[in-house]
Amino acid sequence: MNTPSNIQKLASAGTSVWLDDLSRPRLTSGELASLIDAKGIVGVTTNPAIFAAAMSQGDAYDEQLHQLAAAGVAADEAVFAMAVKDVQDACDVLAGVHEQTGGVDGWVSLEVDPRLAHDAAGTVAQAKELAAQVNRANLMIKIPATTECLPAISEVLAAGISVNVTLIFSVERYEQVMEAFVEGIAAAEKAGKDISNIHSVASFFVSRVDSDIDPQLADKGAEAAALQGKAALANARLAYASYLDKLANNPRWQEFVGRGANTQRPLWASTSVKNPEYPDTLYVTELAGPNTVNTMPEATLDATIDHGETTGDQLSGRASESLEVFSALTSAGIDLPEVWQRLETEGVQKFEQAWNELLATLREQLAKAK
């Protein structure tokens, strides 16, 4: 692996770099393997929008579509059949990384149907089904951090399945996710599972926070406008402080670690900058720190390799200044709880919309392929 220097600096600070994208052409062309060797990628995340983009374009999936159409498979089954194939192949490509890092990295994430975001029982059933279908040691099942799915996180972990908890926007919800994680590991241990084989990340969304709050600040005068671009970083750094409190430095959790458990790492998601006035590596270099993951689209990865220099840990010891930012945001009239709820609702809706559009496209393609 010929890792670029700026990716090495991120790794030295404690941040693993994962690619937030997957498609069959990336796999069949050998591009994913090349990204691992040449750009230092050590994991892959997917989501409904990513698969919608991949499967709706080009002809890479045509052969499997014809097979599925001939078998009379419905669109709902077809989409997962194709996704499972891609994820299996990606897991195989990353198997070496998984082995070399002792299971810390080399993971590929596959998300449950986003329409199950408020259905814990359905989420658990599909998580187990997908884990069995993919049947790879380096698979993580993505489960949304909605209130309804918090018990599902625990139950899936208890079954010995590694989990990527997604769509986390607030520190309060993140703390609930960590509680669900610990409960799941405790239940897995009680059930006799080898907890050293269970891993988890908590995907904390970053850029969408600034995208929501910045326009509100723009209408509140110069003093409020000066806070633009600060909310997302402050939110993530407060989340990291909570991680240190609830897991990394928590005596109860350390007892589990002593028995072989792996900590649930914070993962920074939605790290491509939406405001062109901000540095395009803002949500990468400013969120480097121990035991973290940053999953990014390739454009952000390339920008980081080119000019995103990391200067060590940017997370530890930043809670006080981040609280000051939150206080200033509240004083400026930003209703933060309202922002968190809106972002979660919109996040679920966006994934549902992408999924429904993909299903509609696949129904048409399956009909034509018969």
Side-chain angles (χ1 to χ4, degrees), residues 12 70 79 87 96 228 239 269:
S12 295
V79 66
V87 169
Q228 289 179 316

Side-chain angles (χ1 to χ4, degrees), residues 5-60:
S5 62
N6 284 342
I7 303 302
Q8 289 178 357
K9 289 176 183 176
L10 274 172
S12 295
T15 300
S16 296
V17 175
W18 292 4
L19 180 70
D20 193 27
D21 192 35
L22 184 65
S23 66
R24 192 153 297 178
R26 282 197 188 274
L27 292 159
T28 56
S29 67
E31 184 184 351
L32 179 60
S34 178
L35 287 172
I36 295 167
D37 291 336
K39 297 185 179 180
I41 289 299
V42 293
V44 168
T45 51
T46 67
N47 61 46
I50 285 172
F51 276 124
M55 295 178 186
S56 301
Q57 301 170 9
D59 57 5

Side-chain angles (χ1 to χ4, degrees), residues 61-103:
Y61 296 88
D62 284 1
E63 182 179 349
Q64 190 176 8
L65 269 170
H66 282 288
Q67 295 170 353
L68 293 166
V73 174
D76 294 64
E77 292 181 65
V79 66
F80 275 116
M82 293 191 292
V84 163
K85 170 62 175 165
D86 284 355
V87 169
Q88 285 177 323
D89 290 346
C91 283
D92 292 343
V93 172
L94 281 153
V97 174
H98 190 252
E99 183 177 353
Q100 291 161 17
T101 61

Side-chain angles (χ1 to χ4, degrees), residues 7-17 104-105 240 243 265-266 268 287-294 310 312-315:
I7 303 302
Q8 289 178 357
K9 289 176 183 176
L10 274 172
S12 295
T15 300
S16 296
V17 175
V104 174
D105 286 310
Y240 189 77
Y243 156 74
R265 290 186 291 172
W268 312 127
L287 292 177
N291 291 320
T292 61
V293 179
N294 194 306
T310 300
D313 182 358
Q314 299 297 310
L315 298 170

Side-chain angles (χ1 to χ4, degrees), residues 193-279:
K193 302 289 183 182
D194 183 352
I195 58 175
S196 69
N197 290 329
I198 307 172
H199 288 254
S200 184
V201 293
S203 294
F204 205 87
F205 280 52
V206 184
S207 68
R208 295 187 191 183
V209 172
D210 281 340
S211 295
D212 185 288
I213 291 176
D214 280 359
Q216 298 183 59
L217 293 169
D219 298 329
K220 297 180 182 295
E223 188 174 341
L227 293 168
Q228 289 179 316
K230 295 183 178 181
L233 293 177
N235 196 36
R237 286 166 176 161
L238 286 171
Y240 189 77
S242 188
Y243 156 74
L244 293 177
D245 180 54
K246 302 292 184 182
L247 290 179
N249 300 328
N250 186 289
R252 181 197 174 204
W253 172 246
Q254 289 308 310
E255 290 180 6
F256 284 101
V257 172
R259 297 194 294 273
N262 304 288
T263 195
Q264 182 188 62
R265 290 186 291 172
L267 179 151
W268 312 127
S270 183
T271 54
S272 61
V273 172
K274 307 302 188 290
N275 186 336
E277 295 181 6
Y278 297 160

